[in-house]
Amino acid sequence: MKIKNLLIIGMAALLVAGCHGTEPENPGPDPFAPILLLNNGNWNSNDACMTLFDMGSGSVSTDVFSRANGRKLGDLAQDIARCGEDYIVSMNGSQLVYVLGSDYKVKREIKAEHDGVRLSPRCLSVQEGRIYVSYYEGYLGEIDPLHDYALRLTPVGPNPDGIACAGGRIYVANSGGYLSPDYGNTVSVVDLEIFSEVAVVTVNNNPVSVVASESGAAVYVCSWGNYADRPSALQRLDTGSLEVTDLSYDNVRGIAAGRGDVLYVVTGSYDENWSITGIINSYDMKTDRPQGRLTDMPIPSYYSISADESGLVFAGSSDYTTEGDMYIFSEEGELLARTGSGGLNPIRGMLVQ
């Protein structure tokens, strides 16, 4: 597989910084650490996959999961998170959650059911050693690795998607799927101690992503609207008062939490082919102020935004039919690399620690 327009920037500066006796407050990513890319794949195609990209050499290793396990990853990889040394991967179409070791071999497959119906996992959050999962059939799940991966469920709103934890609660975006022309318009607030919904907050139509500030004072909700008379929106939900405030972004397509209380906000309009040219903006969640663009580089055929604790920012690009691209930026907005993702619809990236 071909690497496209590989750019490696600033390695010497990173290495020099690492030679001093005092570690910087926010050290940059290791230029020789590999990047793990998760490809969503296509519905009912069993073509989700994982790829390793080496920032130092530019080499790409495709089908990491398949080579480790002798079988395909499955259908519609939705999210990936770390829990200790393990990787947690939610497979929406295959209706299971994988626990993978550091060698990418399967340690556990977790399948959830309610009233005899298999549930479809969407988004993940790991808090205090427990794994939280939104299930599209209307549930939030809690998986406890310390007790043989025991799973408990609690009902939330229709078709939950993004989740975020703040102050002992989880905020769940209830997208509503295709239940009505207006989609859903609520966020469920679940108390983790009693593991039950304690409040429901009305937001913009079709909420899909939720990000919490480091202080837990607010969560930010990205909603895609109804694709007609109700546009997409970014809103701030105060976790104390549960009041919702509209933020001044138009055509919001995705959000991701970065290091240092930074929220990355992608904006962009659909063209006649339903393709988006994405612009990555920065928002300071600590001061609640927009910080302008992360980079002036537009992302053609924008598909996804993600970030990790190393400070890297990942923007996926896809035409839905051929191998996608992943753009990798520093938190200062420098393009570190652009590479083929090794699969269809790149949805997440993370530095392998």
Side-chain angles (χ1 to χ4, degrees):
M1 184 200 64
K2 181 171 68 174
I3 305 301
K4 303 173 184 176
N5 302 332
L6 179 65
L7 299 173
I8 303 296
I9 299 173
M11 284 188 180
L14 290 168
L15 291 172
V16 169
C19 293
H20 294 289
T22 302
E23 290 291 327
E25 182 178 351
N26 287 315
D30 180 352
F32 299 109
I35 303 293
L36 182 62
L37 306 178
L38 182 68
N39 292 287
N40 193 202
N42 215 350
W43 179 256
N44 282 336
S45 297
N46 195 33
D47 60 352
C49 63
M50 298 167 67
T51 297
L52 279 176
F53 168 58
D54 191 292
M55 284 260 286
S57 68
S59 65
V60 172
S61 300
T62 58
D63 291 324
V64 172
F65 178 92
S66 299
R67 288 188 284 109
N69 296 282
R71 58 187 171 103
K72 292 184 177 181
L73 180 61
D75 191 53
L76 283 187
Q78 191 67 39
D79 203 358
I80 186 169
R82 281 196 191 89
C83 184
E85 296 184 354
D86 294 335
Y87 295 99
I88 313 302
V89 183
S90 61
M91 302 296 301
N92 182 254
S94 297
Q95 297 181 310
L96 61 86
V97 172
Y98 284 118
V99 180
L100 308 180
S102 57
D103 58 0
Y104 309 110
K105 290 185 178 180
V106 175
K107 296 174 67 173
R108 183 69 67 109
E109 292 183 11
I110 302 167
K111 300 174 183 178
E113 289 189 3
H114 189 268
D115 289 339
V117 176
R118 278 279 295 276
L119 304 183
S120 309
R122 294 285 288 180
C123 295
L124 301 168
S125 179
V126 177
Q127 302 293 329
E128 298 183 356
R130 289 186 171 91
I131 303 158
Y132 295 94
V133 189
S134 59
Y135 288 98
Y136 209 54
E137 290 75 14
Y139 298 92
L140 177 70
E142 180 190 70
I143 300 169
D144 188 351
L146 295 180
H147 294 86
D148 197 32
Y149 297 95
L151 168 67
R152 60 175 175 167
L153 299 168
T154 190
V156 287
N159 304 112
D161 208 335
I163 57 177
C165 187
R169 293 177 168 184
I170 280 197
Y171 296 78
V172 183
N174 299 312
S175 71
Y178 296 94
L179 294 179
S180 75
D182 289 331
Y183 297 84
N185 67 341
T186 63
V187 169
S188 291
V189 184
V190 175
D191 186 287
L192 293 184
E193 186 173 350
I194 62 174
F195 202 58
S196 182
E197 182 182 80
V198 294
V200 177
V201 182
T202 300
V203 294
N204 192 55
N205 291 77
N206 198 7
V208 292
S209 303
V210 189
V211 166
S213 65
E214 289 183 354
S215 68
V219 298
Y220 296 81
V221 184
C222 170
S223 302
W224 283 350
N226 65 359
Y227 307 99
D229 60 327
R230 299 185 183 181
S232 62
L234 179 63
Q235 296 174 300
R236 181 186 187 275
L237 194 166
D238 186 290
T239 57
S241 66
L242 298 184
E243 292 182 359
V244 177
T245 305
D246 292 335
L247 301 183
S248 56
Y249 287 97
D250 295 324
N251 301 313
V252 181
R253 303 305 173 196
I255 58 175
R259 184 166 66 172
D261 236 7
V262 174
L263 179 69
Y264 297 111
V265 183
V266 177
T267 58
S269 299
Y270 289 103
D271 63 18
E272 64 276 8
N273 298 314
W274 285 93
S275 179
I276 299 168
T277 299
I279 300 298
I280 307 175
N281 305 276
S282 295
Y283 184 90
D284 189 332
M285 292 187 283
K286 192 174 296 183
T287 62
D288 269 312
R289 292 181 179 176
Q291 302 297 304
R293 293 184 176 184
L294 172 70
T295 172
D296 288 329
M297 175 178 289
I299 308 301
S301 301
Y302 165 79
Y303 185 75
S304 67
I305 185 74
S306 56
D308 70 7
E309 63 273 15
S310 73
L312 293 176
V313 184
F314 305 89
S317 175
S318 174
D319 63 6
Y320 295 86
T321 58
T322 60
E323 177 193 9
D325 284 347
M326 188 66 87
Y327 295 75
I328 305 172
F329 296 92
S330 73
E331 57 193 351
E332 291 79 29
E334 295 176 291
L335 178 67
L336 301 178
R338 174 191 169 192
T339 179
S341 68
L344 190 67
N345 300 336
I347 193 166
R348 295 286 183 270
M350 65 167 57
L351 189 74
V352 175
Q353 304 264 339

